[in-house]
Amino acid sequence: MIDRDTHTRFMSRAYAMAQAGFTAGEVPVGAVLVAPDGKTILAEAHNAPLTKCDPTAHAEIEVLRAAAQKTGNYRLSDCTLYVTLEPCTMCAGAISNARIGHLVYGAPDAKGGAIQNGIQFFEQKTCHSAPKVTAGILELECGELLRAFFKARRKQNRKSS
């Protein structure tokens, strides 16, 4: 069983990835995938749709792709995925297909989330594999980073008008 301190440590790393995304001009969402041993980071990433010109380059997808390549297996059973924002429907589907054992996320996403909000993907009969879910780890920090990003973007858009 992973304790709250461990969750906070890995979420802090995901938060650092989100900050790197912010610096790169991407929506600041970060993700870290931890191996079944609960200690080893298999992959880490931030959102990169703008940088990669790829609408699927969400932090979660980037991490799952990297870890699958690293392990030689697309099934990442018993791994724990840390992400700073509640995953969207696309990412929830990928998490299910990868057979992630535990999803830990920071801030909820009332508009685009698909775990506790929206379609609640893992509760659907068509979901083949649902991870254990822990929400709210570093929720305030993760949410504030997103708010700061969008506030800066709105300010920038006003200047260009």
Side-chain angles (χ1 to χ4, degrees):
M1 181 97 175
I2 299 176
D3 63 22
R4 189 162 182 88
D5 288 342
T6 301
H7 284 327
T8 300
R9 182 167 45 92
F10 286 121
M11 187 61 75
S12 293
R13 185 63 200 151
Y15 182 82
M17 296 307 300
Q19 288 175 310
F22 188 115
T23 301
E26 299 280 359
V27 174
V29 177
V32 170
L33 187 69
V34 177
D37 68 6
K39 299 174 185 172
T40 307
I41 293 176
L42 292 174
E44 56 188 16
H46 60 74
N47 271 4
L50 297 172
T51 305
K52 293 187 172 188
C53 197
D54 178 356
T56 68
H58 290 195
E60 301 94 309
I61 302 293
E62 294 295 295
V63 161
L64 295 176
R65 285 179 178 152
Q69 288 297 309
K70 184 175 186 175
T71 63
N73 192 345
Y74 76 96
R75 289 206 171 157
L76 301 164
S77 304
D78 300 321
C79 290
T80 301
L81 176 63
Y82 292 85
V83 62
T84 57
L85 181 66
E86 177 183 358
C88 68
T89 305
M90 174 184 70
C91 293
I95 290 165
S96 176
N97 285 329
R99 307 298 197 261
I100 296 300
H102 192 171
L103 167 66
V104 181
Y105 68 88
D109 185 352
K111 184 176 180 183
I115 309 306
Q116 78 183 48
N117 291 291
I119 67 162
Q120 299 178 353
F121 186 87
F122 300 136
E123 304 302 319
Q124 302 305 310
K125 290 189 297 188
T126 54
C127 177
H128 296 292
S129 178
K132 175 183 175 187
V133 176
T134 302
I137 303 296
L138 297 183
E139 178 179 346
L140 296 176
E141 295 88 336
C142 294
E144 184 52 41
L145 184 62
L146 285 156
R147 283 187 290 280
F149 175 82
F150 287 112
K151 182 178 180 181
R153 183 173 273 179
R154 284 189 300 274
K155 186 176 180 180
Q156 182 181 29
N157 287 343
R158 275 185 254 140
K159 285 182 181 178
S160 347
S161 298

